Amino acid sequence: MTNPDIEAALRRILDAQSDINAALSEDDLDPGADEPVDPPSRLQHIDGGCPRLTAADVGGLLAVTYFGSTYEGWPEALEALADPAVAPWIGSLKIDGPDEGANGMATWDFASLIERAPAFPRLTQLTIPQSDTGDHNQKAVEDDQSPALLALMPRLTDLVLPQPPEPGFFDLDLPDLQRLRTGRDFRTRGFIGRLAEAKRLPRLYFFDFSDSLSPVMEVEPGGDAEWNSTPMEDYLRLFRSSFMDQIRAARLRNTRLSETQFRELRALRPDVQLSVALDAPHVYVAHWGATNFPHAHLLLS
């Protein structure tokens, strides 16, 4: 028997997509068109930047995906997500968008959702992916919003964020969180050192941490102090902590550690499946410095 609440939530998602479509002018859909855009031409924008909000009934819960801009279409999507007829029935939520522009930020602003504070009692999976290695824009959640956003989702088991969350994350009660992946941005926010002291993540058994961009975006003398990397001391504090007793596997990305240091961490926790990934951002060949080429160790000689 079909759940009428799920049907109502699906209709609300469809209505939101209609609102998104209506908010986009003909010029937005086809800037070069002098005449109204016909339906076949509109279909071409499915593979372009036209925002889309979709949902499917998966076992009595909604799997919701938003793919699109961080501005056009995003307010309508947030309005639908905050709807009390929708939020309680979302089981998984993925938010992503294309790599648009160059050398900038693609920031998700959840202020309106946080202000309305809808309950997501059945949401177990939240995925907001980090930028791809070759992207021009750095994807991120607006500063200081992650803890307030995640506080609305107390039953999370799987969490993917485009950057390490702020310290307030560790004040949240997330008793079911099992798998956590954080992307990279310009700050580490002391994530690894704080994880060593975590008290409210009793079921977490896997974390995937991307360090900051600093290994490839090196700080010049007098440069921005936020371009930092997690120090070895923080990794040692974590691997020596009792918190690691519950961890079965860990993946470290883009860390600025030596082979000797990785082996030291492995020796501290031989029962933890520790893996390392080198996925530093792309660097234009035209931008290579005469003496500062941070990818040298990754090239075949």
Side-chain angles (χ1 to χ4, degrees):
M1 182 180 296
T2 303
N3 185 330
D5 292 324
I6 292 290
E7 287 187 338
L10 285 170
R11 285 195 300 271
R12 178 65 182 89
I13 295 292
L14 288 174
D15 290 343
Q17 183 63 55
S18 296
D19 293 340
I20 291 172
N21 296 342
L24 298 175
S25 69
E26 298 295 350
D27 286 342
D28 290 328
L29 289 172
D30 190 351
D34 295 328
E35 301 296 331
V37 180
D38 58 20
S41 297
R42 288 180 181 273
L43 291 177
Q44 296 174 5
H45 293 278
I46 290 177
D47 293 327
C50 187
R52 49 192 182 269
L53 181 67
T54 60
D57 180 354
V58 181
L61 292 176
L62 294 181
V64 179
T65 299
Y66 173 80
F67 186 90
S69 166
T70 57
Y71 42 97
E72 289 182 324
W74 183 231
E76 290 81 8
L78 286 176
E79 185 73 16
L81 295 177
D83 194 313
V86 175
W89 297 102
I90 300 178
S92 70
L93 175 61
K94 181 176 182 179
I95 297 169
D96 201 1
D99 180 39
E100 296 178 334
N103 301 325
M105 297 291 295
T107 303
W108 301 108
D109 186 348
F110 289 92
S112 64
L113 183 70
I114 293 170
E115 182 178 0
R116 291 186 59 177
F120 294 92
R122 297 177 177 88
L123 181 62
T124 60
Q125 298 178 337
L126 175 64
T127 303
I128 311 175
Q130 72 180 65
S131 298
D132 183 74
T133 300
D135 283 354
H136 298 86
N137 282 306
Q138 178 65 40
K139 295 175 182 175
V141 173
E142 187 70 51
D143 280 353
D144 301 320
Q145 289 187 357
S146 290
L149 175 66
L150 300 177
L152 305 175
M153 308 167 181
R155 309 314 301 182
L156 286 174
T157 62
D158 294 79
L159 175 60
V160 177
L161 293 173
Q163 84 265 32
E166 287 81 7
F169 167 79
F170 293 98
D171 295 328
L172 301 176
D173 287 313
L174 296 172
D176 300 322
L177 188 64
Q178 299 175 38
R179 292 165 290 272
L180 169 64
R181 176 174 177 177
T182 72
R184 57 176 177 252
D185 70 356
F186 312 112
R187 293 156 291 181
T188 67
R189 296 180 174 86
F191 180 80
I192 290 296
R194 298 179 194 282
L195 190 61
E197 302 174 358
K199 304 297 183 184
R200 300 184 176 185
L201 303 171
R203 297 188 64 191
L204 189 74
Y205 71 83
F206 171 74
F207 67 88
D208 182 328
F209 171 71
S210 293
D211 215 324
S212 78
L213 295 170
S214 63
V216 294
M217 305 288 284
E218 294 188 358
V219 180
E220 298 296 333
D224 190 340
E226 286 188 340
W227 295 79
N228 59 1
S229 291
T230 301
M232 178 60 172
E233 290 76 12
D234 281 7
Y235 286 110
L236 288 173
R237 187 180 310 127
L238 173 60
F239 275 68
R240 289 169 176 163
S241 71
S242 60
F243 180 78
M244 284 296 291
D245 294 344
Q246 69 189 59
I247 300 298
R248 302 205 298 266
R251 183 173 299 121
L252 303 180
R253 301 177 186 266
N254 208 30
T255 53
R256 200 166 196 173
L257 301 180
S258 67
E259 177 184 350
T260 298
Q261 289 172 321
F262 281 123
R263 292 186 182 278
E264 183 178 356
L265 296 178
R266 172 75 174 86
L268 286 172
R269 293 288 176 173
D271 294 333
V272 173
Q273 187 182 67
L274 176 62
S275 62
V276 175
L278 299 175
D279 60 346
H282 71 146
V283 177
Y284 289 110
V285 175
H287 294 175
W288 292 353
T291 60
N292 177 22
F293 178 54
H295 288 344
H297 64 293
L298 300 178
L299 296 182
L300 295 175
S301 59

